Amino acid sequence: MKLAVEEKLIVALDTSSLDEALQLVEQLGGRVITFKVGKELFVNCGIQIIQELHKLGKKVFLDLKFHDIPNTVAGAGVAAVRHGVFMFNVHAAGGQEMMVETVKRTNREAELLNRTRPLIIGVTVLTSFNDKQLQEELGLNRSVQEQVALLAQLAKKSGLDGVVSSPQEVKLIKQLCGSDFLTVVPGVRPLWARKNDQKRVMTPEEAVRAGADFLVVGRPITQAERPVLAAEKILKEIKEGMGC
Ligand code: C5P
């Protein structure tokens, strides 16, 4: 997917109130096009945050990581189409039938409403998991990387547009699933930002060079002393990574 520099950046609105989120959006509005709404913000203020972002002309990545039986996830996907989000995600571990049904019903709904279907992104293995937990707690006989590879390929086969991945996994996913299969990458840290709780990080420039399509950045921007300046610096690094 050919994206402009500004289209590659997604800012994570990890706040607990609508006011706080909208303050950030107001500050960053001149520079940032797409914002991520996750579980905390969504459970606190519901659909209103999506409506407010749309009123301001912003795009929404609805990060609710749906994981349920096929009919339920497809129904949530149809609702996401109706609310006009740009992107939403599902757990690839929900299985092929769930993903295929979600793609089918969201395609149908988007056609009915004459709008573009949101990008549907799969979550493979949460980055909070390590090999030991995967094997001992979930009883899987694979490493995290092998499980990521398996689920990314299942997501691709099921018609999803891409997966969330750590910056380190982008190359492997592109090799296995093709360069058009999107990678949405958190864990991005410019050299001048704190790592916080992110462990395996890459700079924006490195992540883009590795092939990341979308970069999800939260605290380096939202908790910066001057968020607009931080966003501008990151956009510059993205541009450098794109070689333009
Ligand atoms: O503040 P920070 O840049 O670390 O925010 C990253 C965002 O991406 C957060 O909303 C976090 O929940 C999300 N995320 C992540 N790692 C994943 C999946 C999502 O950091 N594997």
Side-chain angles (χ1 to χ4, degrees):
M1 183 180 272
K2 188 90 187 89
L3 295 164
V5 176
E6 295 76 16
E7 289 173 312
K8 290 176 87 71
L9 177 64
I10 302 178
V11 172
L13 288 176
D14 290 323
T15 68
S16 56
S17 79
L18 187 67
D19 283 354
E20 256 179 287
L22 292 179
Q23 262 174 33
L24 274 169
V25 177
E26 198 183 317
Q27 282 184 71
L28 294 167
R31 292 286 178 275
V32 179
I33 300 171
T34 313
F35 290 90
K36 180 171 89 74
V37 174
K39 288 190 174 90
E40 182 184 0
L41 184 56
F42 190 80
V43 173
N44 270 298
C45 49
I47 226 68
Q48 200 184 346
I49 181 63
I50 298 178
Q51 292 166 338
E52 296 292 338
L53 282 164
H54 284 158
K55 270 192 225 157
L56 295 166
K58 299 301 168 196
K59 292 190 196 177
V60 176
F61 169 20
L62 187 62
D63 176 22
L64 297 182
K65 300 184 179 67
F66 300 135
H67 191 173
D68 212 311
I69 57 170
N71 184 53
T72 303
V73 172
V78 166
V81 177
R82 290 183 187 150
H83 288 298
V85 307
F86 165 68
M87 177 188 284
F88 73 88
N89 54 9
V90 304
H91 270 282
Q96 186 167 3
E97 190 190 336
M98 184 203 87
M99 291 188 275
V100 167
E101 182 70 9
T102 303
V103 172
K104 191 174 95 189
R105 284 191 33 207
T106 51
N107 273 339
R108 202 193 297 150
E109 188 67 17
E111 212 172 292
L112 247 156
L113 298 175
N114 197 20
R115 58 172 66 153
T116 311
R117 166 170 72 63
L119 294 171
I120 309 179
I121 302 296
V123 176
T124 56
V125 180
L126 294 171
T127 40
S128 50
F129 268 94
N130 59 29
D131 287 349
K132 188 166 179 271
Q133 286 169 307
L134 213 58
Q135 287 155 15
E136 289 179 8
E137 295 177 20
L138 301 191
L140 300 176
N141 287 321
R142 285 188 208 91
S143 66
V144 167
Q145 212 183 39
E146 286 166 340
Q147 184 71 359
V148 167
L150 180 98
L151 289 175
Q153 289 174 96
L154 186 70
K156 161 90 182 169
K157 201 159 71 175
S158 308
L160 261 58
D161 299 293
V163 286
V164 181
S165 89
S166 88
Q168 277 79 5
E169 289 154 3
V170 171
K171 272 209 171 113
L172 173 70
I173 290 166
K174 294 279 183 184
Q175 270 166 17
L176 292 171
C177 303
S179 59
D180 288 345
F181 193 62
L182 301 172
T183 48
V184 179
V185 170
V188 177
R189 287 291 181 273
L191 292 175
W192 44 266
R194 296 161 63 120
K195 281 194 186 171
N196 311 106
D197 49 356
Q198 296 285 7
K199 293 186 182 77
R200 297 184 302 138
V201 299
M202 270 194 196
T203 66
E205 187 176 342
E206 285 167 345
V208 170
R209 281 195 201 285
D213 296 286
F214 294 97
L215 274 55
V216 177
V217 185
R219 290 161 291 182
I221 294 177
T222 58
Q223 292 184 7
E225 234 168 80
R226 297 171 65 190
V228 178
L229 188 66
E232 279 170 350
K233 279 160 74 179
I234 289 174
L235 285 167
K236 189 161 171 277
E237 292 185 35
I238 292 175
K239 195 170 173 189
E240 276 155 18
M242 291 166 79
C244 51

